[in-house]
């Protein structure tokens, strides 16, 4: 059977935090969860855009909608957001690490980290570790880290993580997306070893129509990519369909920690949620532990 938002069930009493919830997959996830009774925290860099999105969702929401300022490119902002959530709610049931950037020219975060690796992986790494204490003891608590099919082509360049010696924006993107799934798997392994009831899963949207594509084009000034995207337009599915795998990972009774969910058709490009496959590199225990240690060192969290 095709899993849809109709299968979310009653989420009353559940508290969910979604990064990048003001547009695209994050907005559609916030819409679905709030319409099924969950209180959703829209964690976004721009408070204004988050408030506009919250106001648009309110008429159909059955759960609360809150706004939390969060800049994943600033580790001080990440720590402050985690503290504000702890002070306000003192608990968390669902964390959707959804925000991301794609194929940007090389630039740095506020902390001097390569921006794609810093936002897509390190910002979420730091956020998750600081929020995990709020999730312990919560029935069915789950962390869902959103990756991309590009993780299949990624390589963790441990000798040049920040792209200082060589930089290709698509390779850097694939590296950050591979880091997402390696983090999700390693987190699940560590949670199990600690006897935690929290589960860690990964999800990807396939080819979904979001603001990632126009933002990438705008940032890099490519003349050929707009043509390529126009040619591929019939292959793209809606953001609401693209959000289904992360929603499934977050609440479906059949979803299990340590698994990856993505669309079930056209090699994972589109369709309804189904269990997907990790890149072989993600199963390298030593590389996952090394990435974890480096991430602790770079963020100062968990070390």
């Amino acid at each position: 059977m095709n899993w849809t938002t109709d299968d979310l069930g009653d989420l009353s009493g559940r508290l969910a935090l979604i990064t990048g919830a003001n547009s695209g997959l994050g907005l559609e996830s916030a819409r679905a969860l709030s319409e099924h009774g969950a209180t959703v925290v829209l964690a976004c860099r721009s408070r204004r855009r988050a408030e506009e999105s919250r106001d648009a969702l309110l008429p159909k929401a059955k759960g609360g909608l809150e706004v939390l300022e969060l800049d994943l490119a600033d580790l001080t902002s990440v720590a402050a957001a985690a503290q504000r959530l702890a002070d306000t709610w003192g608990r968390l049931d669902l964390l959707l690490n959804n925000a991301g950037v794609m194929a940007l020219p090389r630039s740095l975060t506020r902390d001097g980290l390569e921006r794609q690796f810093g936002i897509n992986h390190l910002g979420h790494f730091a956020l998750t570790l600081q929020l995990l204490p709020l999730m312990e003891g919560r029935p069915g608590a789950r962390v869902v880290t959103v990756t991309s099919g590009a993780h299949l082509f990624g390589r963790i360049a441990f000798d040049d993580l920040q792209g200082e010696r060589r930089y290709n924006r698509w390779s850097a993107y694939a590296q950050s997306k591979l880091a997402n799934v390696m983090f999700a798997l390693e987190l699940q392994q560590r949670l199990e070893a600690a006897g935690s009831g929290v589960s860690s899963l990964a999800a990807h949207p396939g080819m979904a129509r979001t603001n990632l594509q126009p933002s990438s084009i705008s940032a890099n000034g490519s003349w050929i990519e707009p043509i390529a995207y126009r040619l591929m337009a019939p292959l793209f599915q809606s953001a609401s369909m693209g959000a289904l795998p992360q929603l499934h990972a977050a609440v479906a009774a059949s979803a299990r920690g340590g698994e990856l969910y993505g669309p079930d058709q056209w090699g994972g490009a589109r369709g309804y949620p189904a269990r997907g496959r990790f890149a072989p590199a993600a199963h390298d225990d030593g590389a996952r532990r090394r990435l974890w240690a480096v991430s602790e060192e770079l963020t100062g969290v968990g070390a």
Side-chain angles (χ1 to χ4, degrees):
M1 294 180 63
N2 294 331
W3 193 93
T4 71
T5 55
D6 291 338
D7 299 301
L8 283 168
D10 182 8
L11 300 176
S12 299
R14 306 277 275 168
L15 179 66
L17 185 148
I18 305 174
T19 65
N22 62 285
S23 65
L25 305 177
L27 178 62
E28 294 304 324
S29 295
R31 185 193 315 279
L33 293 177
S34 65
E35 288 182 1
H36 284 78
T39 295
V40 180
V41 179
L42 285 68
C44 307
R45 182 171 58 87
S46 169
R47 185 175 188 88
R48 177 185 59 80
R49 288 198 294 269
E51 289 175 343
E52 290 173 352
S53 297
R54 178 196 60 192
D55 293 344
L57 296 178
L58 276 173
K60 293 186 177 180
K62 295 180 181 177
L65 288 162
E66 305 290 339
V67 169
L68 179 67
E69 288 186 62
L70 168 68
D71 184 354
L72 290 163
D74 181 352
L75 293 172
T76 299
S77 171
V78 172
Q83 188 60 56
R84 283 195 297 273
L85 190 78
D87 292 343
T88 303
W89 297 99
R91 62 181 176 86
L92 182 64
D93 298 290
L94 304 173
L95 172 59
L96 275 65
N97 290 325
N98 162 83
V101 293
M102 183 177 75
L104 301 179
R106 189 175 186 276
S107 59
L108 303 180
T109 68
R110 185 180 180 89
D111 304 286
L113 305 165
E114 189 277 311
R115 197 166 187 83
Q116 296 193 82
F117 191 68
I119 291 174
N120 295 351
H121 169 59
L122 292 173
H124 282 123
F125 175 91
L127 179 69
T128 301
L129 265 59
Q130 291 174 90
L131 292 180
L132 276 177
L134 306 182
M135 306 183 76
E136 291 294 347
R138 302 293 301 175
R142 297 182 187 181
V143 177
V144 179
T145 300
V146 179
T147 182
S148 159
H151 91 275
L152 294 167
F153 312 104
R155 183 183 73 86
I156 305 297
F158 285 109
D159 62 336
D160 191 24
L161 277 176
Q162 309 303 328
E164 295 171 298
R165 295 199 298 275
R166 56 190 179 277
Y167 183 81
N168 175 281
R169 57 193 178 86
W170 283 106
S171 296
Y173 176 66
Q175 172 181 255
S176 72
K177 295 288 99 179
L178 175 58
N180 286 154
V181 297
M182 292 174 71
F183 168 58
L185 279 175
E186 185 65 17
L187 177 60
Q188 176 64 22
Q189 187 174 70
R190 291 175 182 240
L191 289 168
E192 289 177 355
S196 173
V198 182
S199 297
S200 169
L201 305 89
H204 77 87
M207 295 179 68
R209 195 174 295 106
T210 71
N211 63 347
L212 267 186
Q213 296 89 17
S215 294
S216 175
I217 291 170
S218 175
N220 64 61
S222 169
W223 63 269
I224 196 169
E225 284 183 19
I227 298 173
Y229 282 127
R230 282 198 295 273
L231 292 174
M232 293 189 297
L235 304 179
F236 281 77
Q237 60 183 358
S238 66
S240 59
M241 284 294 294
L244 288 180
Q246 64 196 62
L247 290 167
H248 181 274
V251 303
S254 60
R256 297 286 181 268
E259 294 184 349
L260 167 69
Y261 294 91
D264 63 349
Q265 299 172 23
W266 296 9
R270 57 186 297 141
Y272 292 90
R275 186 175 178 182
R277 65 185 181 92
F278 290 101
H283 294 289
D284 185 331
D285 293 347
R288 291 203 314 269
R289 289 193 294 269
R290 184 179 180 185
L291 177 64
W292 189 284
V294 170
S295 300
E296 287 185 332
E297 179 182 352
L298 291 173
T299 63
V301 177

